[in-house]
Structures are given as structure tokens and as C-alpha cells.
Amino acid sequence: MAFDLAWNTIVSPVVLFFVLGLVAALARSDMSIPEDFAKGIAIYLMMAIGLKGGFEMSRSGLDAEVAAVMIAGIALSLVIPLIAFALLRFTTDLGRIDAAAAAAHYGSISIVTFIASTQALEWAEVESSGHLVAVAALMEAPAIVVALLLAGPRDSARVGVAGQSRGELVREVALNASVVVLIGALLVGWATGERGQAQVERFFLTPLQGVLCLFLLDMGLAAGRGLRRGREALRPATLAFGLYMPLVGAALGGGLASLLGLGVGDAALLMTLAASASYIAVPAAMRLALPEARPSIYLTLSLGVTFPFNLTLGIPAYVVVAGWIAG
Amino acid sequence: MAFDLAWNTIVSPVVLFFVLGLVAALARSDMSIPEDFAKGIAIYLMMAIGLKGGFEMSRSGLDAEVAAVMIAGIALSLVIPLIAFALLRFTTDLGRIDAAAAAAHYGSISIVTFIASTQALEWAEVESSGHLVAVAALMEAPAIVVALLLAGPRDSARVGVAGQSRGELVREVALNASVVVLIGALLVGWATGERGQAQVERFFLTPLQGVLCLFLLDMGLAAGRGLRRGREALRPATLAFGLYMPLVGAALGGGLASLLGLGVGDAALLMTLAASASYIAVPAAMRLALPEARPSIYLTLSLGVTFPFNLTLGIPAYVVVAGWIAG
Amino acid sequence: MAFDLAWNTIVSPVVLFFVLGLVAALARSDMSIPEDFAKGIAIYLMMAIGLKGGFEMSRSGLDAEVAAVMIAGIALSLVIPLIAFALLRFTTDLGRIDAAAAAAHYGSISIVTFIASTQALEWAEVESSGHLVAVAALMEAPAIVVALLLAGPRDSARVGVAGQSRGELVREVALNASVVVLIGALLVGWATGERGQAQVERFFLTPLQGVLCLFLLDMGLAAGRGLRRGREALRPATLAFGLYMPLVGAALGGGLASLLGLGVGDAALLMTLAASASYIAVPAAMRLALPEARPSIYLTLSLGVTFPFNLTLGIPAYVVVAGWIAG
Amino acid sequence: MSRKRRLELIIERMALRRACNILEESGMGGYTVLGTVAGRGRNSTWRREDDPSSSREMAVIIAIGDAAKVERALADLHQLVDAHIGVLSVCDVDVLRPDRF
Amino acid sequence: MSRKRRLELIIERMALRRACNILEESGMGGYTVLGTVAGRGRNSTWRREDDPSSSREMAVIIAIGDAAKVERALADLHQLVDAHIGVLSVCDVDVLRPDRF
Amino acid sequence: MSRKRRLELIIERMALRRACNILEESGMGGYTVLGTVAGRGRNSTWRREDDPSSSREMAVIIAIGDAAKVERALADLHQLVDAHIGVLSVCDVDVLRPDRF
Ligand SMILES: Nc1ncnc2c1ncn2[C@@H]1O[C@H](COP(=O)(O)O)[C@@H](O)[C@H]1O
Ligand SMILES: Nc1ncnc2c1ncn2[C@@H]1O[C@H](COP(=O)(O)O)[C@@H](O)[C@H]1O
Ligand SMILES: Nc1ncnc2c1ncn2[C@@H]1O[C@H](COP(=O)(O)O)[C@@H](O)[C@H]1O
Ligand code: NA
Ligand code: NA
Ligand code: NA
């Protein structure tokens, strides 16, 4: 059963198109999907998953569990960077600032990994709750704050960079596209419920998996190129971190899920969130807040190593394990 | 009933996503939807509404009423700029040229407002006619001519601007994307009828409302930023014009609709067309034909003030009032 | 019957939107669909047609005929450039290099023409095989090699161009977007079969015809502008070549189809492939491999002349003739 | 290497065709147009994404030519930039194939 | 024609707003921002399409102004380019309407 | 400030990689590539949107470096621009951190 489930997840158009992109990039194909088109699709995906969660919440209502999972999510995004930072400092030769920046990525989340996970649950006919989307949105930012504390006192933080404007980091972190769209779409879905769903499901829900194929082809290309170009920047110990850190995160997420007594689907999603690493919001925030940290380290790790790992092997594993601990 | 209808229109995903964009922009979020993606979606929307009108026309055929509504539309787009110009000259401190340019926008139409209005009618289960799309296309350009006459003799008009080529303004106005696509798609829908509809409806009709959500999120961002940046350029009297002028237009449209004995749906659409202001075709034409006019005035008015007003409060009001006068 | 079929193909939204674009461009409208959006749609179309072929293959399996058609396709793409080259050298004043470059375009294929042809077959309720997609992918590149041989020894080929890197041409030709996506999607469709189809058909198959309308509107604009700008570069004899060469190709394709005893649908598709000329992959390869050849010749011919011819008159003719030879 | 003039015109998108017409009429051998994403002037701050009409967008034209031809284009460009929003600047550059300009 | 300075700043996209703030504060009359598609430096090779976070993307700011104002902007821009990834260069240009800069 | 050379190469997109290879081999510290939207030359008028193959599109490479390195790149770039469609120009610029070029 577990094997079947894992196999069906991996041999699905969604994952195979990701692998296609990955392989094409590693084979040095020049093909690409225009950036502006891919960014438009990304907005669509966030609207879709937000609406989906909102419609589901309008059916199921709120209870104490919702608050508990949200707190669990925030706790994970505060603790994981600490663990990641410690591991990086002890096992690799990364300096304090590079380690702090990389740690922030792992405390935050990848919404595409989350969406892929919800699809895998659908294929396995496992239910999950809409409010996990809210948890995902809440987990975007806290790790950034932790990382800034870990990075410690720096020149640029003390005197400031020329041209800096008040509140720009807060705006970047709290009002970036994924937070605004996820939370916004969740509220729209929640407020309009069944009537809203009838109006928009044929654009946002029915074709979702197909759109994800197109988007993951692009992400495969990006991950493959990131890996090919960034490879030399990573020592083996750093590269290994990109592979075991998601497992550490997933274990923490799974532990909390079992403590809270979450269902299989919710447990798998919380594990996925904990295991996933940001490659959009956090890198951007790091350029503002920790410009000394090297993108070649943190982007290669999160986009080139952890993202492909989660998408191909991680997700099926988390779903299977969630079945054991919560089933 | 009227309240229910208005409430259902406002609390719909389409309108709420617009509000989301508006709020995000006013809160100074940096998020945006890539311009080239949004422009592609705009073409889709114009094809969809054109086809929809064409399919409907192929079912209902043409009669004298069609010609009457078309003439009414053109009349509106010739008269409204005169009223708008007079109001602006008497109530604000705008000069002749700025007033003429702004007036042109109100004589012309916003196709997105029109599409949103057709959706509101669908939710309220009110029928409307396909040829109103043709009326919309016919109302795009005439107001521009009126505005040029209102602007009066100017240097640049007399001697011409260097590099000007013969017919460029005519081409810009008569063959711009929205005229070509609306009229073209209407003809395609009309010519292919039921068979054509079966071939394309699952792309152009079924998901239309969802696509509109995505597009209006972008328009909300654009309107919010336009308002935030252009606010200082507008004195209170000018700003107020942006709020009452659509009501003046709608009143004229409603009057003509009741004179012609149009049904509720067609009356609501004609009111919407009269009330809406252009923020794509006319601004572009003004840069060619009246470069002295200030975009900060006319764009802020039409995109930042009138468009949000129509989309949130205007449309439900027009539908309700159309029910009174035509019901 | 033949007339009905041809008429229904031509008076379809897909073809009419192409004509709309063509006419708008020839009328010097300035409208356009953003390049990055159109390129994204092109990737979607290639994924869709590849998946469609793959799903079909997973149902029908492989047999000797599959290999035979593939070999036929490759043979066509090797022979057609020779014929095209001879015709160009004898009937026009093009030099060796320009003639070789143009010949390469006719040996290769246009995937959009192919997709339009599969749609025409669907409307006519004629079956065709999924592996024709593989044939299309196999026919992309061989003609390029033939053309380089026909172009003969040149300076740039002997000493190389500065900055040239090893294998760049091979990579460009063998790993370009259309080869990667067509073959990749075909394999994904084949591997995931019915289960995969259930997951993605509502994005990749159901709305396909509608998407094609949008894309062909853009292609009509491109073809019309190509024709308008390139017209002067083409002498009448060259222009005529763009009209009769597809018929020569279709005749060869039809001959082979009848030799192999293909069904009507497969015969029509093989004829279409033989008749169509590349305007994406080959022009790009020519810039790398034969920079001396003039794009104004080969692009005007393939995009401005042959593509519109095939899309409007060619395809219905090939379907009708395929009915005669294979029916 | 040989000395030529590099003309750079930042011009509102809607007037781009007019600018190109002027360059063509003045006998300049060619030009290249670049897109822009944002800008600020005395009267406006704009960003490409915030303007559905594209009427505030600017484009940048680069044209390299010999001094005489550039001079010939300047008068008309000056008139254009008086009517339309635009910034015009010229500098010296060295080129390799002087005959082609 | 009259002599001005043309400032060209190639700056990472995330620091673009900071650079624009500096130009505004220094009293420069305006600037125009161009997008980029790829690049290479000592520490990185990047292509726009390969970076979903856009955090490696660069932008190019062109600002034409009189020598004094450009000079005033340089100190702060220098500090910016020390903290952030960027390349700053200045050259002389001739403009037609000197009063507007 | 210190004097460097600014190389600007307008080159057809398909030959972009070749141009970048040359710059890398010549030891230039870096370069930035900008997209273009339209252009006109002796043999062609093109617009990005009208060319599905992108084979007529141009790109602009900006590379700032010291005079010696730019000189080294010029010979190969000259050969490239002989085989491919392209326009090459060089001018003087002042930079702030001379050591990084
Ligand atoms: N000094 C300048 N340097 C570069 N670009 C400028 C300059 N001044 C204005 N611009 C550009 O021209 C547009 C209109 O300027 P303005 O007419 O001053 O509002 C601005 O949005 C900028 O894109
Ligand atoms: N000499 C240069 N000329 C033009 N652009 C450069 C130069 N050096 C660096 N860049 C740009 O700045 C980015 C970062 O450079 P670096 O900090 O050296 O890795 C590169 O990716 C290029 O886009
Ligand atoms: N003098 C010039 N200044 C700037 N760009 C040019 C110039 N000449 C040619 N170009 C560019 O190079 C392309 C090809 O030029 P050509 O080879 O002359 O047809 C044109 O489409 C322009 O984009
Ligand atoms: Na995480
Ligand atoms: Na109106
Ligand atoms: Na062919």
C-alpha cells in the first residue's frame, strides 16, 4: 500500500514534468518558459490554493484545533531555523551570516511544495483541512526574524544602508505577493463559500493539476540550472544538509502533528511545510536585510537541492509516514 | 430583493479580489502581476465577451432594436463628453485641454466594467442581449473626436508634431486591440454559432468568471496605485467629479433605455457603458492627439476613482435601478 | 461531403481568429499579444499535443506501423529539402546559401499547423494515431543537416565564428523547447496513461481548441506583419514557391501514406507535416549555422506565405485528399 | 577605431513611432529600442505594472551614427521632445566599422 | 547643446528602491529604469528565467543631470554599492534643454 | 573617480552566447545583458512581438572594464560582428571602485 501510494505519486504527470525540466536543464538545454508567464501562473496557483482552503473552511467552520495548528506552525518556523543554524555551523564551514540566511529558508516554506502535497493527498483520497493554507501563510515570515537575530550585530544593520526607507523590510515580508494572495484568497473563499465556489471552480479548481504540470516544468528547469551553476559553491557537507534538513523538519512537524492528534492529511501537510524551504520570499528578504549573505549558497540549497528532493521523494514519504503516525 | 441582489454582487469573488488588490496597493504592498501576463489575460477577456455576444446574436438574430441601441450608444458617447466638459469647466479649475481630455474618457467605455456587469446580471439570472457587445465597441472612439473639438485650436494641432505619420491617430483609435478583438470575436461567434460555441466554450465561457477574478486583482492593484500616486494632483472638486459623473452617465443611459423600452439586462448594460470611463484606449489616444493634457489628471480620475466606484457600488446600483425602470 | 468538410474547417473559430489577426496586421493595426504570453501559450500547446499523443499511445500500444511511419517522416524531412533546394535554384534567383536555408524550413515542420490539423480531423470525426506526434518531433531537425551540406563549404564553417562553443548547434537543434516538450510530454502521457489523463485532461485537453484560437490570433498578426514587411524582399517566383512547395510536400507525404496503407487521419497528418514549414526552430538554427543566409527570405516564405496557406486552404485540402487515397 | 555619435532618446511609448520616423528620415543607418520598467520625472512616477493603458511607459532608443546625420536628426527630435515627454542626450563613442554608420 | 553627466547604475533589483530614494534625495530631476535579462560577475552567472525569486536579477538606472547633482548622489550611491551588488559609472553627454536637468 | 571603458554590443539574440563567451575569455570582470523590443537596420525592421522564432531579436550587452581588457575583447568581437548581425561601440566612463574591473 505504502509503496503503491508512493509510486503513484511519483509516476504522475505533475512530478514527471518536474523531472523533465530538471533533466533538460542538467542536459544543458536552452529551453525556458518566459519569466513573466511563469510569475502569472504562480499568482494563479496561490489564488487557487487560497480559495480551495477558504471554501473548505466555510464548510467546516473554525474550532480550537485550528488555532492549535496555527500556533504549531509558527512554533515550527521559529524553532527550525535555530536547529538549521546549529547544524550548519557545526557540520559545515559556512560563516555566521551565510548560515543564518540559509537557516531562514528552512524555517519558512515553499508554497509549491505544499500544493504538490495537497495533490498527492487527493490522488490517495486522503482528506485534509482548508486552514492548513492559513498555517502556510503564517509560516512564511517568522523565520526571517529569527535569522536576523542569529546573524548578530552587523555594520549594515547598525548604520543602515543608504537609501533605506522606513518599514521597507516589514512591507516586503508582511505584504509580499504570496502572503497577500494566500490570505486574501482564503478570506474570499471563506466569505463567499458555496456560492463563490460555484462561480469560480471551473477556473481555479478543475484545471489546477494541469496548471501545476506546466508550472513544475518551469520549476524543474530553474532547479536544474540552479543546481548546475551553484554546485561548485557547495561543499559536500552543505549539500548533504539540503538533503537531511527536510527530514529533520518533517520529523518535527510529524511529532507536533501526532501530539495534536491531527488527521493523516493535516499531518502530512504540516510535515511538508516543516520540511520545505522557501526560494521566493526569503531570498528576496535576505537581499534587503542580509545583503552580505551569499545567494549562491542559500538559493542553491533551497531551490537546487531541497525543493527537488521534497517534490520527488519527500512528499510521498511524508504522506506514508503521516499514515503511520496518525492513521 | 434589491438589497440581496446588491449584496450578492458585492460579496462575490470577482469584486472581493478587486478590493483585495485595491487594499494591498493602498497599504503599499509591492506585489504585482506581470504586465505582459495581464495584457494577455485582457485579450482573452475581450475575445470571450466578443464570442459570447456573437453566439447570442447567432441565436437571436437582428431586428430594428439592435440598430436603435447602437445609435443610442453612439449618441451617449457624443453627448456625455459635452456634459462632462461643462461640469469640469464650471466646477473645477481644470483648463480647457485637461477638461477636454478627461471628458473624452467618460464618453468612452471600460470593457472590464462591462464584463463585470454581465456577470452580475448572470448571478441575478437576468437576461441580456449579445449585441450590447457591439454597442460597447461602437462607443470606444466617438468621444475622442468630440474631445479634440472641445480642446479647440492648438499649436501642435496646427503645425503637427515632428515625425507624425498620416493616419496614425485614426489607426490607433479605429484599429486598437479592443476594437479589433471585440468586433472580430463578435463576428466569429456570430458566423460560427452553435458549432463554434461547442468548440470553444470550455475555454472562453466556462472559466470566464474565474479569469475575471485574476484580472480584477491586477486591476485593483493598478487602481489603488493610481489613486495613491495621483491623489495630490486632484482637487476635491475634481475628485468628486469622478464619483458623480458615472451617475450622470448612468442616468442618461437609463433614460434612453426606458425610451427604447429595453429589457432589464440591456438597460443595466447600457447604463454601465454610459457610466464607465475608459482607462486604456482613450489615455493612449490622448498622448498622441492631446499631448499637452496631463495624464495625472485623467488617468487618476478614470482608473483611480470612477473604475473602483463602478465596480463596487455602481454596477449593483445600475442593475437595481434598471429593474425599476424596465422591470 | 468534401466541400462541407472543407467549409466547416475554414469557418471555425480557430481559422477565423487566424484570419482576423492576418487582416488586422495587413490593415496596419498596431495591436499585439505580448511575446512572453504567447510563448507561454506555445509551451502549453506543445505539452497538450504531446500528452494527447502519449495518452493515445498508452491505449493503442506500439506495432511495426509505428516504426514505419517514423522512418517515413525522417525520410520526408531528408528528401524535401533536396527538392526544395533544386526548385529554388532553378526557378528563383536565390543564391546557394539562401536557397539551402529556405529548403531547411520546408524539410522541417510547423507544430501549430500540425495541431490545427488534428483539430480539423476531430471536427470531421476522423481518427488519428498518437504516435504522429513523435513523428512530428523526429522531423524537426534532420532537414537542418541536409541544408548545411547543401550550403557547401563556407568560410565561417571552416574557421568557425569567434566565441563558438562545442556542441552549441547540436544542443540548439536537439534540445530546443519543442523537441524537449513534445517528446517529454509524449513520454509522460504514455507512462501515466488513463490515470494521468484523468488528472490533467481538464487543463490540457478540454480547453485546447479555445487556447488555439487565442494563439492563432497572435500567429495571424505575426504572419501578416511578416508578409507586409518582407514582401519587397521576395520576387514573384520566390513567393510562388511558398505556395506550391507545400503541395509538393503534401504529395510526397500522401504518396508515402498510401504506400504504407495508413488510415485517413494518419495520412492527413503526415501530409500536413510534409507540407508545413518551420518558423521557430529552423530560423533560430540558421542564425547559428548559416548566419550569411537572409532571414527576410526564409522567414517571409515560411511564416508569411506557407503558414497562412496551410492553415486556411492547405489543411482542408489535405484532409479531403487523404480521404480519397486512404478512405 | 573611429569616432561616431551615440544618440539616446528616452521617449514616451506612444510617441515612439514618431521618433523612429524622424530617425529614418534623417538618414541614420539604424536604431535599437529598449523597453523600460519604471521611472520618475518632474511630473510623474510610474511603474510599468501599474498602468493598464501603457500611456505613461517610456522607451529608450539607441542610435549610433556619424556626427552629421545625428545633427540632422536633432532639430526634429527637439521639436518632438517639446510636444512629448522625453529626454534626449548624445555622446561620443568609438566604433569598429565606421563605414556602416 | 550643453554638457551634462549621465549616471548609469547597474544594481540588484531588490535594492532598486533604495537607489531610487537616493537619486530623489540628491535632487536629480528624474531617472529611468530598464530591466535586464542576464548577466555575469565575479560571483555569479544568472539568467532572469532561472530565478523564481528574482533575487539575482539586476536593473539599470539611467539618470541625466548636471555635474553638481550627480556628484551629490555619488557618495550615497557608493555606500549603497558597497552593501549591495552593483556597478556605477558616469559619463559626459550633450543635451538640448539644459534647464530641465 | 577613475577612467574605464564601457563596451556596448548590440547583437542578435542567437549569437548572444558567443558574445558572452568572448567577454569571459578576454578576462572582463562581468557584463549585463538587456533585452530589446524593436529595431531597424539596413536590412530589416523588426518588432519583438512579430517574430515567433525570436531569430531577429537583438540583445544589448554592457560591459565595463579597463582599457586593456576591452582592447583584448575587441578583436574577437570584431570577428563575431562580421559573421553575425551586431553593432559594437566603446566609450569612456568614470567609475568609483576601479579595482573591481
Ligand atoms: N533626468 C532624467 N534622466 C533620465 N530619465 C528621465 C529624466 N527625467 C525624466 N526622465 C524620464 O522621463 C519621464 C518623464 O519625465 P517628466 O516629463 O520629467 O515627468 C520620467 O518618468 C523618466 O522615465
Ligand atoms: N564589469 C561589469 N560590467 C557590467 N555589468 C557587470 C560588471 N560586473 C558585474 N556586472 C553585473 O553585476 C552583477 C553582479 O556582479 P558581481 O557582484 O561581480 O557578481 C553581474 O551578474 C552583472 O549583471
Ligand atoms: N546605427 C545603429 N544604431 C543602433 N542600432 C543599430 C544600428 N544599426 C543597426 N542596429 C541594430 O541592429 C539590427 C540589425 O541591423 P542591420 O544589420 O543593419 O539590418 C537592427 O535591427 C538594429 O536593432
Ligand atoms: Na520549512
Ligand atoms: Na462612458
Ligand atoms: Na515540412
Side-chain angles (χ1 to χ4, degrees), chain A residues 226-247:
Chain A
L227 186 57
R228 193 158 61 74
R229 288 207 184 119
R231 225 169 6 197
E232 311 97 60
L234 298 191
R235 302 270 174 94
T238 319
L239 211 138
F241 171 86
L243 295 171
Y244 66 71
M245 188 61 218
L247 300 177

Side-chain angles (χ1 to χ4, degrees), chain D residues 39-44 46 58 85, chain E residues 30-32 62-64 100:
Chain D
R40 186 186 177 98
R42 293 151 312 167
N43 317 309
S44 65
W46 62 275
M58 310 293 285
I85 301 172
Chain E
Y31 54 80
T32 301
I62 298 174
I64 293 169
R100 71 158 288 176

